[in-house]
Amino acid sequence: MMKRVFLISVLILTSFLAACGGSGDSEEASGSGSSESIVFGTGGTSGTYYPIGGAVKPVFEESESVANVTVESTGASVANIQNIKDGLNQMAIIMSDVGYDAIEGQGQFDGNAVDIQAMAGMYQNVVQIVALKDSGIKSVADLKGKKVGVGKVGSGVEQSAKKVLEAEDITYDDLSKVTHTGYADSVQEMKNGNLDAAFFTSGVPNSNITDLMQQTDIQFVEISGETAKTLMDKYPFYKANTIEAGNEAAYDLDEAVETVGIQNMIIVSKDVSEDVVYDMTKRYYEYLGTEEVSVGALKQLDRDEIAKGLIAPLHPGAEKFYEEQGILE
């Protein structure tokens, strides 16, 4: 009888321990399930946004709050904002001009304003118009009647191209041909003589322009004088910018080129938790202060300026981190 009672007690104890072990496994699984997966919208694979996504992916994935980061090639700014709104992306890179339109409910977002939140400012995108040397194009006004690449449909490049043309009262109807080509395709079309000029709104240098320069005689078209003034008066996100002469890291030009630039920024969905955005902001800030930064555009950043001059409100998680650092405006 005593032996039977002992065996029953052992069985009960074993079952209890197994249950405890199962509970522990459940808690561990639950803990890992609390981390968030991030889909990071960037841009075309030949641009600057996409390699930035690849560079910061492992930085964000070091966070215990982030399960994984999927870097997605997209149509860039407009598509990224729409994807954030639709819940397809949790993080994205955009140009401030497109973000401004989204917040104001104008342009491609006419009557459809989007509530976007910023995580960090980034490098300035420089509006670079490149023309074939023998095209006769020396100013924005000279683009009339020419074959021009304006960037992919819905991209920040196209939005910038439209605004620059508008400053000279030029519409697509005034051009002999308009192609919605990405950087690489625009370069190829110029090499083939199918385009006279193309817009490249990116960091400096743009590797596609460098490639074109090695095989074709080109010239940069300035955005200066009244054209630049009209742009900056109407759109506060435009800033004067100069591509320096004699800088081997910036095309090694014989003469400086006056143009305009637009700040890029990282935005995040308001549905991403404050703790996750706080940790990603912290890791991004710390990364910018290391020697691990591999993408040239990110090397242009002063990390203590990334919370300033943004056209969108900060996500609460990012704002909390910047307040702790004392770098808010």
Side-chain angles (χ1 to χ4, degrees), residues 78 81 95-114 116 159-160 163 235 237 311:
V78 174
I81 291 172
M95 287 167 56
S96 289
D97 57 345
V98 182
Y100 181 85
D101 282 351
I103 293 169
E104 296 296 321
Q106 61 187 29
Q108 289 199 30
F109 298 93
D110 187 22
N112 187 31
V114 182
I116 60 176
Q159 293 303 298
S160 182
K163 290 179 173 65
Y235 303 107
F237 42 78
I311 54 90

Side-chain angles (χ1 to χ4, degrees), residues 14-157:
T14 302
S15 299
F16 176 75
L17 290 174
C20 288
S23 174
D25 290 343
S26 298
E27 287 176 3
E28 184 178 350
S30 174
S32 63
S34 65
S35 59
E36 298 186 32
S37 294
I38 303 293
V39 178
F40 191 177
T42 56
T45 54
S46 65
T48 305
Y49 288 0
Y50 188 73
I52 286 176
V56 299
K57 168 183 165 71
V59 175
F60 294 142
E61 287 182 333
E62 288 178 357
S63 171
E64 293 181 359
S65 301
V66 176
N68 65 282
V69 176
T70 301
V71 178
E72 186 175 79
S73 174
T74 69
S77 299
V78 174
N80 286 344
I81 291 172
Q82 191 61 48
N83 286 345
I84 289 279
K85 181 181 181 182
D86 294 342
L88 301 176
N89 291 358
Q90 289 70 49
M91 172 183 286
I93 306 174
I94 66 168
M95 287 167 56
S96 289
D97 57 345
V98 182
Y100 181 85
D101 282 351
I103 293 169
E104 296 296 321
Q106 61 187 29
Q108 289 199 30
F109 298 93
D110 187 22
N112 187 31
V114 182
D115 177 19
I116 60 176
Q117 296 184 342
M119 190 186 98
M122 300 185 75
Y123 67 100
Q124 196 176 81
N125 259 15
V126 181
V127 183
Q128 301 161 76
I129 307 174
V130 177
L132 297 177
K133 194 77 171 178
D134 60 2
S135 67
I137 300 171
K138 296 182 179 180
S139 68
V140 175
D142 292 335
L143 291 172
K144 280 187 177 181
K146 301 297 184 179
K147 299 171 290 186
V148 184
V150 297
K152 292 182 179 180
V153 173
S155 69
V157 179

Side-chain angles (χ1 to χ4, degrees), residues 36 38 60 63 65-66 90-91 117-120 266-284 314-322:
E36 298 186 32
I38 303 293
F60 294 142
S63 171
S65 301
V66 176
Q90 289 70 49
M91 172 183 286
Q117 296 184 342
M119 190 186 98
I266 298 176
I267 61 172
V268 286
S269 168
K270 56 184 175 57
D271 296 329
V272 181
S273 72
E274 180 176 326
D275 288 344
V276 170
V277 175
Y278 173 91
D279 197 29
M280 289 196 298
T281 306
K282 178 176 183 292
R283 291 176 185 278
Y284 178 64
L314 286 165
H315 186 287
E319 185 174 27
K320 179 181 177 182
F321 174 75
Y322 295 134

Side-chain angles (χ1 to χ4, degrees), residues 283-302:
R283 291 176 185 278
Y284 178 64
Y285 177 84
E286 291 174 346
Y287 169 70
L288 293 178
T290 70
E291 297 296 322
E292 301 300 316
V293 179
S294 57
V295 180
L298 293 182
K299 294 180 180 180
Q300 301 172 21
L301 292 175
D302 178 346

